[in-house]
C-alpha cells in the first residue's frame, strides 16, 4: 500500500460495475432466453465431465475444462467463443473457491447442482460492439444474428459523469429472477478518492447501528460517528412479514395451480424489491463510514471481530426466534466488503469480547441495558452512547493491547447519522394531510364539473332518454 503524507487523501483507479436494467423484446428476447439456457447446459456438461475426470483420478485445470467445452461441436454451442470460455473459467474459479473454503473448515461441496439459466459474458471488441447505427450488438457467434439493444447510459454515481462506451469492459447479460427483468452489468474504470495516512480508526458493528467509528481527532478529543440503521430493520421486517404471510397461504394451495403461481410471483416481487433496497442501504452505510475515514486521513482500519456470529444460530440457541432471525439476516460482511473497496484499506479484525461492557473511564465491567451506557462504579458515573463505548474500547485495545482507560479530561464528540433518510412520523403525517386535502379539492372540483355538465346536458338527456349509453359527465354537450 502506498502511504501518502498525512492530511492528503489520494485517489486510486478502481473498477466499478454499473447495473443497467434493459427490456428485450421479440426476437432479441427469444435469442437471449435460448442462449441463457444453452449456457446453463454447457455448464452442466462441464460439471459432469469434471466429476468423471475426478473419478478417473485426474485433476483437470482451467485450460483442460476450456478445451473440453470447445471440443463440443460448434453447432451444439451457438454462443460466442468468449462466452463459452468464460463458462470454463467460472467453473474453475468455483472449484478453487470451494476447495479453499473447505480448507477453512466450511462444509461446502464442489459445484454439482444442475443449472437452468446462466449469465452470458461478452468481451470487449469481440463479444460486444457498437453497430454503425449506434446500437449495441451482443454477439452470439459468427454467422448468427446477435442480441441488439439501445446503447445504455452509464453514469458514474460519484462524479455524475456519463461514462463513454470506450471505457467499458466485459459486459454480462443477466436475468434478475426476483424482479423478472434482464440487466446489463457493465464494468468501467474510474478514479476514486481513497484514504491514506497514519491515523487509526476503529469500528464497532451492530444490528441496530451497523457501524460506529472512533478516531482520536487530537490528544484530548475522540470523534465518534454512529450510523443508524433503522431503515434496514424496517425493510427486513416488512419483507419477513409479507413473505411469511404468503408462505402460509402457499402451504394451503395445490402445487402448480394458478393461485400457487400467483403467490410465488408475489413472493419474488417482495423479495426482489427488498433486495434492491438493502443493497442501497449497505452502500449508504459504507459510504458514510468512508466519509469519516477519509476526513480523518485514516491509514489503519480495525474492526471488532464478530465474524461467524450469524452462523449456526439455531444450534447455539442463545437468543429467541426473532433475535436469531435478525442475526442471520445481518449483512455485516457485505458492508465490510464495500467499506474496504471504498476506502482502499484492508480491514483488520480484533477480538472484541467485553468491549461493550467495560467502562472506558475506569475499566469496571457493567452490563448495559438500553442504548445508554452508565457506569455503576460510584466513583466514576461515566455515561455515553452504548455503541460508542465498543468503538473506544476496540481503539484502546488496538493501540495498547488491552482495554486501557482513557484520561478523565477526554472529550467525546458523538455525531449521529442516518444511513438512509426517512421521514419522521411528524413529516409523514403532514405529507398525508396535504395529500388528503389535494384529493378532496380534486374530487370536489370533479363533482362540480360533473354537476355542471349534467345540468347543461339535462335537456338533451330528456330528449334521448331511451339511449342506453351512460352520459359522459365531463363532455359538454353543444
Ligand atoms: Zn466507570
Amino acid at each position: 500500500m502506498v502511504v501518502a503524507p498525512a492530511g492528503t487523501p489520494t485517489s486510486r483507479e478502481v473498477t466499478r460495475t454499473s447495473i443497467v436494467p434493459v427490456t428485450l423484446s421479440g426476437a432479441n428476447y427469444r435469442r437471449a432466453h435460448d442462449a441463457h439456457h444453452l449456457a446453463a447446459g454447457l455448464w452442466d456438461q462441464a460439471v459432469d465431465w469434471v466429476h468423471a475426470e475426478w473419478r478417473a483420478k485426474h485433476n483437470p485445470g482451467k485450460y483442460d475444462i476450456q478445451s473440453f467445452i470447445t471440443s463440443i461441436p460448434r453447432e451444439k454451442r451457438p454462443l460466442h467463443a468468449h462466452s463459452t470460455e468464460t463458462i470454463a473459467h467460472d467453473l474453475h474459479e468455483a472449484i478453487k473457491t470451494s476447495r479453499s473454503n473447505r480448507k477453512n473448515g466450511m462444509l461446502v461441496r464442489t459445484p454439482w447442482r444442475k443449472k437452468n439459466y446462466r449469465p452470458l459474458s461478452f468481451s470487449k471488441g469481440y463479444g460486444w460492439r457498437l453497430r454503425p447505427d449506434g446500437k449495441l450488438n451482443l454477439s452470439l457467434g459468427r454467422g448468427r444474428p446477435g442480441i441488439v439493444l439501445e446503447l445504455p447510459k452509464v453514469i458514474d454515481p460519484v462524479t455524475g459523469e456519463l461514462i463513454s462506451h470506450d471505457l467499458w469492459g466485459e459486459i454480462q447479460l443477466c436475468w434478475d429472477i426476483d424482479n423478472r427483468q434482464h440487466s446489463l452489468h457493465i464494468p468501467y474504470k474510474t478514479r476514486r478518492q481513497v484514504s491514506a495516512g497514519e491515523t487509526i480508526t476503529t469500528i464497532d458493528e451492530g444490528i441496530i447501528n451497523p457501524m460506529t467509528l472512533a478516531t482520536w481527532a487530537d490528544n484530548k478529543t475522540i470523534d465518534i460517528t454512529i450510523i443508524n440503521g433503522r431503515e434496514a430493520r424496517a425493510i427486513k421486517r416488512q419483507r419477513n412479514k409479507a413473505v411469511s404471510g404468503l408462505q402460509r397461504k402457499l402451504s394451503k394451495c395445490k402445487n402448480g395451480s394458478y393461485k400457487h403461481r400467483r403467490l410465488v410471483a408475489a413472493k419474488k416481487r417482495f423479495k426482489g424489491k427488498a433486495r434492491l433496497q438493502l443493497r442501497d442501504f449497505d452502500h449508504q452505510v459504507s459510504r458514510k463510514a468512508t466519509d469519516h475515514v477519509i476526513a480523518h486521513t485514516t491509514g489503519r482500519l480495525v474492526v471488532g471481530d464478530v465474524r461467524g456470529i450469524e452462523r449456526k444460530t439455531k444450534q447455539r440457541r442463545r437468543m429467541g426466534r426473532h433475535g436469531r432471525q435478525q442475526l442471520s439476516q445481518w449483512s455485516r460482511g457485505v458492508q465490510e466488503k464495500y467499506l474496504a473497496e471504498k476506502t482502499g484499506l484492508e480491514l483488520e479484525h480484533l477480538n472484541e469480547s467485553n468491549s461493550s461492557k467495560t467502562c472506558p473511564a475506569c475499566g469496571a465491567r457493567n452490563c448495559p441495558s438500553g442504548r445508554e451506557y452508565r457506569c455503576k462504579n460510584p466513583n466514576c458515573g461515566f455515561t455515553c452512547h452504548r455503541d460508542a463505548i465498543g468503538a473506544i474500547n476496540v481503539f484502546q485495545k488496538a493501540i495498547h493491547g488491552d482495554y486501557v482507560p482513557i484520561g478523565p479530561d477526554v472529550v467525546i464528540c458523538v455525531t449521529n447519522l442516518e444511513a438512509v433518510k426517512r421521514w419522521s412520523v411528524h413529516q409523514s403525517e403532514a405529507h398525508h394531510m396535504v395529500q388528503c386535502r389535494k384529493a378532496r379539492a380534486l374530487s370536489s372540483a370533479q363533482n362540480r364539473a360533473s354537476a355542471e355538465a349534467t345540468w347543461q346536458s339535462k335537456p338533451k338527456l330528456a330528449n334521448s332518454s331511451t339511449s342506453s349509453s351512460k352520459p359522459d359527465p365531463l363532455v359538454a354537450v353543444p
Side-chain angles (χ1 to χ4, degrees):
M1 197 186 71
V2 186
V3 178
T8 50
T10 52
S11 70
R12 184 179 62 134
E13 193 171 64
V14 290
T15 306
R16 291 185 74 106
T17 304
S18 174
I19 299 176
V20 188
V22 287
T23 313
L24 298 177
S25 52
N28 285 317
Y29 179 86
R30 281 193 296 281
R31 272 177 219 142
H33 181 86
D34 293 345
H36 280 303
H37 279 308
L38 269 161
L42 288 178
W43 169 278
D44 290 347
Q45 287 182 45
V47 167
D48 288 345
W49 178 78
V50 167
H51 280 254
E53 286 289 297
W54 286 338
R55 278 193 294 277
K57 306 282 178 220
H58 298 306
N59 190 14
K62 183 170 165 181
Y63 294 101
D64 299 323
I65 304 173
Q66 187 181 324
S67 58
F68 162 74
I69 289 192
T70 43
S71 72
I72 298 171
R74 229 186 132 246
E75 51 291 354
K76 285 194 179 167
R77 46 177 179 92
L79 295 173
H80 193 272
H82 282 281
S83 309
T84 38
E85 271 173 25
T86 318
I87 296 173
H89 297 175
D90 284 355
L91 178 56
H92 179 68
E93 280 300 312
I95 292 168
K96 249 171 60 181
T97 311
S98 68
R99 280 180 179 161
S100 75
N101 282 348
R102 198 169 334 161
K103 224 174 242 173
N104 293 336
M106 284 156 92
L107 275 176
V108 287
R109 288 173 72 173
T110 48
W112 60 278
R113 205 188 289 274
K114 289 272 179 285
K115 285 194 190 291
N116 195 26
Y117 230 66
R118 242 196 84 77
L120 300 168
S121 299
F122 302 94
S123 59
K124 184 177 185 172
Y126 303 96
W128 70 264
R129 60 187 174 78
L130 219 58
R131 298 203 321 177
D133 61 355
K135 288 190 174 175
L136 183 70
N137 184 63
L138 306 177
S139 170
L140 294 173
R142 190 172 297 174
R144 291 183 213 102
I147 302 163
V148 183
L149 303 158
E150 292 293 333
L151 190 69
K153 270 190 188 149
V154 178
I155 291 166
D156 190 3
V158 177
T159 57
E161 287 169 9
L162 192 73
I163 304 291
S164 153
H165 62 267
D166 302 326
L167 303 170
W168 298 356
E170 185 180 278
I171 296 181
Q172 274 201 320
L173 180 68
C174 303
W175 173 253
D176 184 348
I177 193 164
D178 287 332
N179 291 310
R180 307 200 60 74
Q181 195 178 32
H182 276 106
S183 56
L184 288 177
H185 292 216
I186 306 173
Y188 58 89
K189 289 228 158 49
T190 179
R191 294 202 77 80
R192 181 188 282 164
Q193 201 183 46
V194 295
S195 185
E198 276 87 48
T199 325
I200 301 178
T201 294
T202 53
I203 302 176
D204 182 64
E205 295 171 325
I207 294 174
I208 295 171
N209 296 319
M211 281 186 182
T212 305
L213 298 102
T215 313
W216 281 87
D218 50 56
N219 285 339
K220 292 284 165 227
T221 325
I222 305 178
D223 270 351
I224 306 270
T225 304
I226 301 173
I227 302 165
N228 188 295
R230 67 172 174 172
E231 183 68 21
R233 272 186 298 161
I235 298 164
K236 282 177 193 165
R237 205 167 130 201
Q238 224 169 6
R239 177 197 60 191
N240 295 344
K241 269 192 162 178
V243 168
S244 74
L246 289 167
Q247 200 61 46
R248 211 174 304 123
K249 281 184 191 165
L250 265 170
S251 67
K252 281 177 195 155
C253 63
K254 216 172 120 189
N255 204 346
S257 64
Y258 175 71
K259 196 175 173 192
H260 189 274
R261 287 207 306 273
R262 286 282 300 272
L263 288 169
V264 167
K267 203 169 90 178
K268 278 184 179 173
R269 218 162 37 235
F270 267 110
K271 280 181 155 181
K273 195 178 161 203
R275 204 178 53 196
L276 291 182
Q277 285 174 331
L278 289 170
R279 181 167 165 265
D280 175 57
F281 171 84
D282 290 337
H283 272 296
Q284 299 274 8
V285 168
S286 55
R287 167 45 55 200
K288 268 148 196 142
T290 306
D291 288 346
H292 176 105
V293 167
I294 289 179
H296 289 90
T297 58
T298 299
R300 241 181 101 194
L301 261 180
V302 184
V303 187
D305 194 0
V306 279
R307 286 175 296 177
I309 198 170
E310 70 280 1
R311 267 184 243 131
K312 293 188 182 167
T313 50
K314 207 161 191 176
Q315 289 91 319
R316 287 184 193 160
R317 291 261 165 194
R318 285 198 312 194
M319 313 172 85
R321 198 156 63 93
H322 292 282
R324 288 206 304 271
Q325 190 183 37
Q326 271 188 355
L327 207 57
S328 56
Q329 291 177 349
W330 184 16
S331 52
R332 174 197 59 77
V334 178
Q335 286 162 9
E336 278 184 20
K337 196 184 99 188
Y338 289 164
L339 183 65
E341 281 172 5
K342 285 188 169 97
T343 55
L345 299 172
E346 254 178 58
L347 270 62
E348 298 166 37
H349 288 91
L350 192 75
N351 182 9
E352 57 127 44
S353 51
N354 294 323
S355 71
S356 58
K357 288 180 188 162
T358 311
C359 173
C362 67
R365 258 185 215 166
N366 302 287
C367 276
S369 60
R371 304 313 303 165
E372 188 79 8
Y373 180 93
R374 257 171 227 287
C375 184
K376 294 196 179 94
N377 182 354
N379 301 329
C380 176
F382 176 86
T383 59
C384 191
H385 192 284
R386 180 175 168 174
D387 287 325
I389 302 289
I392 294 170
N393 277 328
V394 172
F395 199 100
Q396 295 298 87
K397 197 171 184 181
I399 298 173
H400 305 289
D402 203 3
Y403 300 137
V404 176
I406 54 171
D409 50 350
V410 171
V411 182
I412 299 171
C413 295
V414 178
T415 314
N416 278 293
L417 293 177
E418 262 176 65
V420 181
K421 270 266 172 322
R422 191 182 233 205
W423 282 353
S424 68
V425 176
H426 175 73
Q427 277 170 319
S428 55
E429 269 175 10
H431 176 78
H432 179 69
M433 271 165 69
V434 169
Q435 292 299 311
C436 284
R437 207 178 302 143
K438 271 188 189 167
R440 245 180 284 134
L442 190 72
S443 71
S444 67
Q446 274 173 350
N447 286 343
R448 227 176 296 131
S450 70
E452 268 171 34
T454 42
W455 179 74
Q456 279 182 3
S457 61
K458 261 218 171 115
K460 176 108 195 275
L461 269 178
N463 292 343
S464 61
S465 57
T466 45
S467 77
S468 61
S469 68
K470 231 167 73 178
D472 191 352
L474 289 176
V475 175
V477 178

